[in-house]
Amino acid sequence: MESLIYVGLVEDHLLFRKGMKSILSTWPEIEVIFESGEGYTVLEKLHTSDRLPHVMLVDLSLPPNGQQEFGGKEVTVALRKHFPDIRIIILSAHEDENFIAQLIEHGAHGYLVKDCNPGEVRDAISSVYNNGSYINIRTLKAIQNNIGRKTKVRSTTLAGETLTKREEEILQLVCQQLTTEQIAEQLFISPRTVNGHRNSLLEKTGSHNVAGLVIYAIKNNIVSI
Amino acid sequence: MESLIYVGLVEDHLLFRKGMKSILSTWPEIEVIFESGEGYTVLEKLHTSDRLPHVMLVDLSLPPNGQQEFGGKEVTVALRKHFPDIRIIILSAHEDENFIAQLIEHGAHGYLVKDCNPGEVRDAISSVYNNGSYINIRTLKAIQNNIGRKTKVRSTTLAGETLTKREEEILQLVCQQLTTEQIAEQLFISPRTVNGHRNSLLEKTGSHNVAGLVIYAIKNNIVSI
DNA sequence: TAAAAAACAGGTAGAAATACCTGTTTTTAT
DNA sequence: ATAAAAACAGGTATTTCTACCTGTTTTTTA
């Protein structure tokens, strides 16, 4: 608990980065051992580093690497893949509700808005280091309102089967209250074909009627409501 | 940040409560100033208390008051109403996914499983006291999977109309994939009547079929998925 | 390049839902 | 106490869906 926590900072604005480092240095249990001004060099820097940070504070909006976007999200994904032990706190200027959800799902362990007070940062680092995650209450509300069915996960059925592209397509149209005939028109196929797909959908999802299909579609992020 | 945090404990198992108090006493910034072994006496105890806790650790499963259930959920609701400044951390033996979502929406600020390590408790108290919330990563996952459309908002229709109780009831059953006949059986009414309600539902919600009804029901929290 | 999966399309039945109509009884609110 | 709303129940007709069956062609994967 009271052991030294190694912290890394990935933040393109120097002043902010140094300011953060200064703040963090006031806490004896925290030591900043890594800094980077851009996301795309983080991995190689870590590879040549003798000490790895326990917790990495990563700015959400980092400069791209040429054409390639490389912000907090990309850093998160890369870190999770190559340095799964490093815990990640995203720093953002504001709460982008949709994004937070994605970040958490990509493996970020915490999320801080930049106007939080220093105590929060300490709490966040400590929490993330010791246990798992840190989310402030407003952010949590944002997640409550927005998460759940944003990131498209492959939809698996009861039997572990997977819906085909066409089946998902038709399921989406079913959810839009279209009839078999309307779906057929829209997809330029025979109503019989649509019918076949509908039956497969009922079978695969274990549903008895459209109510079941719609709920399945929502639960499995095939449609967003 | 370093000011003394007054903590209250609501936990029916004495040993666990005292153990927790002992652990908390090792942190100089935390002082336990309130204890209760049951939920239903918390309010009056607080009213006669000279100092109010900043953070209350509340066990999820507390003994009922006679017939009346009075667990962590009820305590949370009561505290939020009468002592809105007190921040609440729920302690639970395990992660009941559905319940966590409800608790957070009822106003709890944090959630701890009882097998967490002491450092987590300190972090949780500090976080909750200083900022807002504390949720561990597993719990967060649970929330991601279960929250979203739990809080029941009065369902308003396109025309601003309101669904009647019976209509909502039938809508819920429709969402459970029951047929008109099955719904009639379940409610001990004629299929004709169910039919009438279904038609009203379609009319009021501006839907063409069950797909529309289900989506309406989910959007308006008439059913939870 | 075979084999498997997906997409396609047709037939037939029956079940269920939708879209209208009518009316009575019960509950709620003014 | 009266009016309005809700819940109840029936008729009729049509549309749509569900549940089976069959098969071919195209695409994907091993």
Side-chain angles (χ1 to χ4, degrees), chain B residues 4-22:
Chain B
L4 205 53
I5 306 175
Y6 292 159
V7 172
L9 298 176
V10 184
E11 161 68 53
D12 55 327
H13 299 100
L14 182 66
L15 207 58
F16 185 80
R17 192 167 81 238
K18 293 303 180 189
M20 177 68 82
K21 193 177 177 182
S22 168

Side-chain angles (χ1 to χ4, degrees), chain A residues 154-170:
Chain A
R154 193 93 213 99
S155 43
T156 44
T157 58
L158 299 178
E161 288 183 282
T162 308
L163 299 188
T164 67
K165 263 204 154 87
R166 201 55 154 178
E167 282 165 351
E168 283 200 11
E169 206 176 352
I170 278 158

Side-chain angles (χ1 to χ4, degrees), chain A residues 125-180:
Chain A
I125 290 173
S126 181
S127 294
V128 159
Y129 174 68
N130 285 302
N131 148 57
S133 78
Y134 184 95
I135 302 285
N136 90 10
I137 197 74
R138 285 174 308 173
T139 309
L140 184 62
K141 286 287 172 195
I143 291 175
Q144 289 178 2
N145 293 329
N146 288 275
I147 219 172
R149 24 213 119 263
K150 297 293 178 182
T151 42
K152 181 112 174 180
V153 254
R154 193 93 213 99
S155 43
T156 44
T157 58
L158 299 178
E161 288 183 282
T162 308
L163 299 188
T164 67
K165 263 204 154 87
R166 201 55 154 178
E167 282 165 351
E168 283 200 11
E169 206 176 352
I170 278 158
L171 181 50
Q172 285 166 355
L173 296 172
V174 167
C175 291
Q176 287 168 34
Q177 304 191 54
L178 300 189
T179 67
T180 296

Side-chain angles (χ1 to χ4, degrees), chain B residues 164 166 189-190 192-193 197:
Chain B
T164 67
R166 202 55 153 177
I189 56 179
S190 160
R192 302 291 182 159
T193 307
H197 288 308

